[in-house]
Amino acid sequence: MKAEQDGDLLEEDSPQENGVQTNQYSSISPPASPVVEDEPFSTYFEEKVPIPESVNQAFSFRKLWAFTGPGFLMSIAYLDPGNIESDLQSGAKAGFKLLWVLLGATIIGLLLQRLAARLGVVTGMHLAEVCNRQYPTVPRIILWLMVELAIIGSDMQEVIGCAIALNLLSVGRIPLWAGVLITITDTFVFLFLDKYGLRKLEAFFGFLITVMAISFGYEYVLVKPDQPQLLKGMFVPYCSGCGPVQLEQAVGIVGAVIMPHNIYLHSALVKSREVDRKNKKEVKEANKYFFIESTIALFVSFLINVFVVAVFAQAFYNKTNMQVNEECNATGSPHTDLFPLNNDTLEVDIYKGGVVLGCFFGPAALYIWAIGILAAGQSSTMTGTYSGQFVMEGFLNLRWSRFARVLLTRSIAITPTLLVAIFQDVQHLTGMNDFLNVLQSMQLPFALIPILTFTSLKSIMNDFANGLAWKISGGIVILMVCAINMYFVVVYVTSLNSVALYVIAALLSIAYLGFVGYLARHCLIALGVSCVDCGSRMQMGLSRHTDIYLLNDMDSDTVVDR
């Protein structure tokens, strides 16, 4: 075998580890399940979907249907309230000119999700579990904390979106703080839907995506965007007459689309299908169908995002506060005070977006917008909860009950949101989204670097490890995405105009960049850049097997006997 030629990394008849039989396609095995469990903690994997057999078929719609589900759950992160707000601001500030950035970010997202899905299929473990087995204790804990921060930040955006949607739907009768509290309770209700079966749960998520598509599609048809301008903005990578505002918005689009916790989520969701990892043909087939399903799912999410961008590009690009105020006055809207009597360019968020749609296109447009936002918030809330569960179980081997897990993350996410909702106004609530986008942008390296590292190691992926083209392109893409998001962070910090905050940010940046450098060094070793490892291992003649001495840098008890 090829693996045997590479230093006997794998054994065809691997020994059992923790009671689980390893196989020829992975040198790490899934953790054994506890002998006794009072409660099935892993909500998503209580059942696995069987894959129908097909004889000598290059493609089977029956098989594609069996694999359909994880990709659509993953795609919900591309449709959360933070993304919707980024979309409408892109349309209002730049018209159709930044649609090509949205398209590019979605394609990059698809390539990264492909790596996540392959890791889960080939190893039978998700990214958090692999990180737990391969990184030393201290880096592992830091990595877990960073990912949890990203999940909490995303959770806060979803809570904000749901609260605003409920406020709009009730014509202000449900105050924002009450909407936040309602979101707490409905999360627990929706979380137990998986007890009705995995496919029914996936169907419910499909229903929520359909609600978003119909809601935002209705706004699209109502506004009738200029189709030639839309296509030009989507396929011509140029932004004529754009300045710093549009540049910052373009960077914000990339940060909103590519979510760090979504990489961890997708690598776990693919484990819900019955795939014989000892059979190379089945593993290869699963990778193919998951990629096709993810492509379809992200195409649907891209269309929904385009609907939102196009609506605000057509109706509100270059509109002034004065124009909107006059229109709202003419229609008797109670929200005219949101738009001051000046000629400044209109600035919109999720809340103002619904209001201006109601002023220009009638109450139905406002309510349908709110329904779409509510569906986005509720679906994202549930997938965020699953992400938190997988990350905690994977990194810490800590199996909490669903109730305790949700209670912890919900409390952390909702407490600051609730305080702002009670003591401030909706502008401050939606203004939190800028900070939360920055927070999540900073966590991106802690998902992208590990996924490229582990999918490039033959000792983990064997024949399914990244080839040279994927290593180079993956490295370039991750470097570009991280650089773009770091620019977004710098722009946000410099806009704070506080010397004290600059000093704190500088000190945190040293620690942050140091840890990113640690992860990047291991990633470069996995990619074959052995010169970055100039320690004793090079003197021991291990440079010919970069994946071996990378793993030697990690906990010895996590690597199987070779």
Side-chain angles (χ1 to χ4, degrees):
M1 287 182 61
K2 183 179 178 181
E4 291 172 346
Q5 295 171 359
D6 286 338
D8 295 329
L9 293 178
L10 305 173
E11 295 287 340
E12 184 167 350
D13 295 319
S14 302
Q16 288 192 350
E17 181 184 1
N18 296 333
V20 178
Q21 180 70 37
T22 59
N23 62 72
Q24 59 190 20
Y25 295 111
S26 176
S27 68
I28 55 176
S29 59
S33 301
V35 177
V36 178
E37 285 189 352
D38 296 329
E39 178 183 352
F41 295 110
S42 190
T43 59
Y44 194 78
F45 304 130
E46 291 173 17
E47 63 174 295
K48 291 199 174 186
V49 177
I51 306 301
E53 294 185 5
S54 57
V55 182
N56 297 326
Q57 279 187 295
F59 180 81
S60 166
F61 281 103
R62 289 182 66 238
K63 281 197 173 184
L64 178 61
W65 177 249
F67 282 106
T68 297
F72 280 90
L73 269 68
M74 168 273 296
S75 72
I76 286 171
Y78 291 73
L79 296 168
D80 69 359
N83 272 287
I84 301 301
E85 180 155 324
S86 174
D87 293 337
L88 63 90
Q89 288 178 349
S90 171
K93 293 179 180 179
F96 299 101
K97 298 175 185 177
L98 295 180
L99 278 173
W100 63 273
V101 178
L102 177 62
L103 176 62
T106 305
I107 293 173
I108 290 173
L110 173 63
L111 299 179
L112 295 173
Q113 299 299 158
R114 174 187 180 271
L115 295 180
R118 286 172 69 86
L119 181 72
V121 170
V122 174
T123 67
M125 302 173 68
H126 55 75
L127 180 56
E129 291 174 318
V130 177
C131 288
N132 177 47
R133 285 175 165 241
Q134 303 301 318
Y135 285 125
T137 302
V138 173
R140 183 168 69 237
I141 297 298
I142 296 174
L143 202 57
W144 167 67
L145 291 173
M146 294 298 101
V147 178
E148 286 289 354
L149 274 178
I151 293 172
I152 290 169
S154 176
D155 210 20
M156 290 177 69
Q157 287 184 314
E158 291 144 12
V159 171
I160 291 169
C162 290
I164 289 174
L166 291 170
N167 182 268
L168 289 173
L169 285 171
S170 65
V171 198
R173 293 188 181 91
I174 299 178
L176 292 172
W177 61 266
V180 172
L181 293 176
I182 291 172
T183 308
I184 300 176
T185 56
D186 64 19
T187 302
F188 288 101
V189 173
F190 286 129
L191 188 64
F192 290 95
L193 286 174
D194 59 5
K195 287 298 183 184
Y196 292 97
L198 178 60
R199 296 299 270 175
K200 290 184 177 65
L201 175 69
E202 292 173 346
F204 179 71
F205 279 100
F207 167 74
L208 292 176
I209 293 175
T210 303
V211 170
M212 283 184 268
I214 293 173
S215 300
F216 299 132
Y218 168 85
E219 310 285 0
Y220 182 87
V221 172
L222 187 66
V223 173
K224 298 181 178 66
D226 186 332
Q227 300 303 312
Q229 286 297 317
L230 185 149
L231 293 174
K232 179 181 177 182
M234 189 180 299
F235 296 109
V236 178
Y238 182 69
C239 189
S240 60
C242 292
V245 172
Q246 287 75 25
L247 176 61
E248 290 176 23
Q249 189 58 48
V251 172
I253 290 172
V254 177
V257 168
I258 302 173
M259 309 283 280
H261 66 277
N262 209 33
I263 304 295
Y264 288 87
L265 174 68
H266 197 198
S267 66
L269 294 176
V270 296
K271 292 169 58 179
S272 60
R273 268 51 184 178
E274 285 186 359
V275 177
D276 182 6
R277 291 173 50 242
K278 298 177 182 178
N279 187 323
K280 181 178 178 180
K281 180 181 177 182
E282 282 196 26
V283 174
K284 186 175 181 180
E285 185 179 67
N287 285 329
K288 178 181 76 172
Y289 282 106
F290 275 129
F291 181 67
I292 294 172
E293 186 237 1
S294 297
T295 303
I296 296 171
L298 288 188
F299 177 72
V300 172
S301 72
F302 173 71
L303 286 182
I304 295 173
N305 284 316
V306 167
F307 289 161
V308 178
V309 175
V311 165
F312 284 85
Q314 182 68 35
F316 306 114
Y317 177 50
N318 280 336
K319 283 282 193 303
T320 64
N321 286 323
M322 182 77 74
Q323 291 172 307
V324 177
N325 187 291
E326 291 174 355
E327 189 68 30
C328 288
N329 264 323
T331 56
S333 170
H335 303 291
T336 54
D337 58 315
L338 291 174
F339 312 102
L341 292 171
N342 58 43
N343 286 318
D344 292 347
T345 303
L346 174 68
E347 291 190 8
V348 286
D349 49 41
I350 292 177
Y351 185 77
K352 285 184 179 179
V355 171
V356 295
L357 284 171
C359 291
F360 280 78
F361 302 104
L366 185 152
Y367 295 131
I368 293 174
W369 169 261
I371 290 171
I373 296 296
L374 185 63
Q378 292 295 351
S379 56
S380 301
T381 293
M382 294 174 66
T383 54
T385 300
Y386 282 121
S387 299
Q389 174 191 324
F390 298 142
V391 165
M392 177 171 280
E393 291 180 1
F395 274 111
L396 305 182
N397 271 333
L398 184 61
R399 296 178 177 270
W400 284 14
S401 69
R402 289 170 293 180
F403 180 85
R405 180 69 188 85
V406 177
L407 185 62
L408 175 64
T409 53
R410 289 269 107 180
S411 299
I412 296 173
I414 282 174
T415 300
T417 311
L418 184 60
L419 292 174
V420 174
I422 293 173
F423 297 108
Q424 299 291 341
D425 52 18
V426 69
Q427 281 86 356
H428 288 86
L429 194 63
T430 55
M432 290 176 67
N433 274 324
D434 291 336
F435 170 75
L436 296 174
N437 283 334
V438 169
L439 178 67
Q440 291 176 85
S441 295
M442 292 182 66
Q443 313 312 317
L444 266 176
F446 308 125
L448 304 190
I449 295 176
I451 195 64
L452 182 61
T453 299
F454 297 128
T455 54
S456 299
L457 285 172
K458 285 187 175 295
S459 56
I460 292 177
M461 301 291 287
N462 195 20
D463 293 341
F464 296 96
N466 295 329
L468 181 62
W470 267 99
K471 289 179 180 179
I472 295 174
S473 59
I476 292 173
V477 164
I478 289 174
L479 181 63
M480 180 179 67
V481 169
C482 291
I484 288 173
N485 282 277
M486 287 306 100
Y487 173 82
F488 184 47
V489 172
V490 170
V491 168
Y492 177 79
V493 172
T494 53
S495 68
L496 298 176
N497 295 320
S498 170
V499 176
L501 290 176
Y502 293 161
V503 173
I504 294 173
L507 294 175
L508 291 175
S509 297
I510 294 173
Y512 174 85
L513 293 175
F515 187 57
V516 170
Y518 170 85
L519 296 177
R521 173 176 169 272
H522 285 299
C523 184
L524 289 173
I525 294 173
L527 296 178
V529 186
S530 58
C531 62
V532 299
D533 185 66
C534 50
S536 60
R537 290 179 300 278
M538 291 291 290
Q539 300 170 6
M540 293 170 63
L542 295 175
S543 58
R544 289 175 297 121
H545 304 296
T546 56
D547 52 344
I548 295 179
Y549 67 77
L550 173 67
L551 293 178
N552 283 347
D553 226 11
M554 303 177 185
D555 290 344
S556 59
D557 60 348
T558 64
V559 185
V560 300
D561 296 331
R562 303 203 208 340

